[in-house]
Amino acid sequence: MDEVILTRNVSKYYGKVRAVDGISLSVRKGEIYGCIGLNGAGKTTMIRLLLGMIHPTAGASFVCGKQVHSGNHDLWKNIGYLVETPHSYPDLTVRENLEIVRRLRFISDKKSVDAVMNKLQLGPYAERKAKHLSLGNAQRLGLAKALLHNPEILILDEPTNGMDPAGIVEIRNLLRTLASDHGVTIFISSHILGEISKLTTRIGIIHEGRLIQEVDTNQLDRLRRKRLLLNTFDNIAAQALLRTQGYPVNVSEEGTLEVTSQHAIDHPEAISTLLVQAGLPPTLLRVDEESLESYFLRVIGMLGGVK
Amino acid sequence: MRSILATFWAEILKIRKSRIFLMSLLISFFIPLMMGFLMFVVKNPELSSKLGIVSTKASMFGKADWPTYFGLLTEGIAGIGALGFAFVTSWVFGREYSDRTVTDLLALPVSRSSIVLSKFMVVVLWCAFLSLIFFVFGLFVGVVVNVSGWSGEIALLAANRFAVTSFLTILLCTPIAFFASYGRGYLPPMGFAIATLIAAQFIGILGLAPYFPWAIPVTYSTVGTGSSQIGVISFGILFITCIVGCLATFAWWRFADQT
């Protein structure tokens, strides 16, 4: 069986509020699946459904072929998770917090606590009480709890929340290694597309509780809009010239000319030659690619706009 | 069994490292001390004129003998103890919500029932331990204050009554556990505990105390004084309340959405 995580038309309603609405998705073994959406889009609800913390109003979720429900506790043996901002017992030290998880997960190897602290650079804070940790280190402790038992599946909600840039890169590399070298399947949620796109192999965009697009990360490049931006000393003449040659030209918000024809984007040198031969040498000629954030906003805007 | 051992170990660690545990011990020492002080005031009427409201309260006890003092301790565990036990239960269950650590307990290889059962076990042990301190230190204070009229028979009878009252009071922790879970914190269960104590006073005035679960322990504590009407029905009502609270708490953890 290749699908490690599977949801079938899963929905969760709170009264009239549709937190998650008929989402069907699957995550294959070793895949890093990124779930992205605005705050309140339904990402955390989706994660809680996958972890059996809430019951679906309709549909079902499956992990390793077994249906998720709160009584099926054997299911969680090989799953590590982190939901929203991680919280730990404030009066217990980092080591004690991890020791509790070690016992509750029946891990006989006592060195596993030290191992995971080293993996997440928590060694120097081992005897520090959780309430005295910085947000970044609290996040590391949350991740350490998720990774302590070397799980085959990781379900992580905003795992790099509160971390500094170096920490974000470190965690990204760690998760990548877990997926590529150890075959760990990772389901991760975030509202930062840039971060998700650097880590995941597939992205699902959730908006207003619905999965509105799934895309392989390596296809993102193809899906993002491109345009050729150019400037000359006489943009009006240049615009007229390009139009006579069959290129659709608009004036961008910045006042530069904007050509969206695929030929112009693929061959900017042809446009340059054309302009130079007409005595309108370009002072600016650049292929501009839509940012990930713009792409994301455009996708969710296509279905009713950003709310 | 392995699940119970693991969850019980975790609960004990959480309690051992908390300030609340130490505070609860201090309160268990403090209250008998105050009760002993009241006995001391009764024994020394010359102090009364200087102590105002304390002397008024002390004068309510009439005599400074061991039966009176034991009665005071027993009523104390049924009244003040009930609030203390409610606080202990609220903390054990509600702190997981207040500290937002509950999510760490919901998707583990141990069943949620094991977690709830372990929490109930530590509540019972903790409250029983506090009761023991309350009574033993109360005895010590009584000896120091030199309360009169000691006899082994009276002490044995009082110890028995105190133990049963304490046990009945502990049984009422299960609805508190439910409200701590349902209310996701400390305030709803403490509100419930205070409301039941107030309600018990009014219901007592109406003469229905033997039928109101939260009035039964304090009513039982007065057995032998002629004012008690505790019988099988009262015990039955209290046990049913305990079982309902217990089942509701298990069901909440097992079936409710944990958002």
Side-chain angles (χ1 to χ4, degrees), chain A:
Chain A
M1 186 197 58
D2 203 28
E3 288 165 338
V4 175
I5 297 172
L6 177 72
T7 69
R8 281 196 196 135
N9 214 22
V10 72
S11 299
K12 181 67 187 176
Y13 304 159
Y14 294 103
K16 289 180 181 174
V17 178
R18 297 179 173 211
V20 165
D21 191 9
I23 290 185
S24 296
L25 58 80
S26 65
V27 186
R28 294 180 291 269
K29 183 166 172 54
E31 192 175 21
I32 308 181
Y33 188 100
C35 179
I36 185 152
L38 301 174
N39 291 333
K43 305 185 297 293
T44 300
T45 304
M46 190 67 209
I47 281 186
R48 286 183 186 274
L49 282 165
L50 286 175
L51 291 168
M53 292 179 183
I54 52 177
H55 304 278
T57 309
S61 306
F62 300 85
V63 175
C64 296
K66 292 177 186 167
Q67 187 167 353
V68 171
H69 64 83
S70 56
N72 194 0
H73 55 269
D74 278 344
L75 202 59
W76 314 121
K77 274 181 190 163
N78 292 317
I79 298 177
Y81 66 94
L82 187 150
V83 182
E84 289 184 307
T85 311
H87 292 273
S88 300
Y89 296 106
D91 290 325
L92 301 189
T93 64
V94 168
R95 184 184 296 282
E96 287 165 343
N97 269 288
L98 290 170
E99 192 61 26
I100 283 182
V101 179
R102 184 182 78 77
R103 298 255 185 165
L104 295 181
R105 286 199 173 275
F106 309 123
I107 304 166
S108 53
D109 182 10
K110 290 181 180 175
K111 290 177 184 167
S112 59
V113 168
D114 284 308
V116 81
M117 282 195 296
N118 289 337
K119 193 184 277 183
L120 285 149
Q121 320 288 335
L122 280 169
Y125 308 99
E127 307 308 326
R128 186 173 292 189
K129 285 187 177 178
K131 65 183 173 188
H132 295 137
L133 291 177
S134 65
L135 183 58
N137 282 329
Q139 192 77 15
R140 283 173 190 271
L141 177 54
L143 280 167
K145 287 191 273 187
L147 295 171
L148 184 67
H149 54 303
N150 297 317
E152 292 169 12
I153 302 164
L154 275 172
I155 297 176
L156 306 172
D157 192 4
E158 310 271 5
T160 54
N161 190 26
M163 286 190 168
D164 58 36
I168 290 172
V169 173
E170 180 195 323
I171 297 304
R172 190 194 302 152
N173 290 339
L174 173 67
L175 295 178
R176 261 198 207 129
T177 307
L178 287 172
S180 62
D181 297 357
H182 303 280
V184 175
T185 307
I186 302 174
F187 184 93
I188 190 167
S189 90
S190 178
H191 63 279
I192 308 166
L193 184 57
E195 179 54 31
I196 283 280
S197 69
K198 286 175 192 156
L199 175 65
T200 58
T201 47
R202 203 145 55 95
I203 292 173
I205 297 177
I206 291 188
H207 185 55
E208 293 179 344
R210 287 187 296 143
L211 182 68
I212 57 171
Q213 190 177 67
E214 265 187 319
V215 57
D216 285 342
T217 312
N218 56 20
Q219 286 182 335
L220 263 181
D221 227 29
R222 189 175 55 77
L223 294 169
R224 282 150 69 185
R225 277 183 183 163
K226 294 186 181 91
R227 58 184 182 165
L228 180 69
L229 294 176
L230 64 93
N231 258 339
T232 65
F233 288 115
D234 185 352
N235 275 357
I236 294 170
Q239 188 175 12
L241 171 70
L242 290 171
R243 279 188 176 157
T244 59
Q245 297 297 315
Y247 292 105
V249 184
N250 297 312
V251 179
S252 73
E253 286 175 6
E254 299 85 25
T256 59
L257 296 181
E258 178 185 89
V259 187
T260 52
S261 132
Q262 194 59 45
H263 181 264
I265 291 162
D266 291 343
H267 300 284
E269 75 284 355
I271 303 296
S272 176
T273 305
L274 188 68
L275 290 169
V276 168
Q277 285 173 352
L280 296 164
T283 54
L284 168 77
L285 190 69
R286 174 165 61 89
V287 175
D288 184 58
E289 194 174 54
E290 184 181 33
S291 71
L292 287 166
E293 280 69 26
S294 301
Y295 169 73
F296 168 63
L297 292 173
R298 180 164 60 83
V299 170
I300 61 172
M302 280 163 60
L303 293 172
V306 183
K307 291 183 180 173

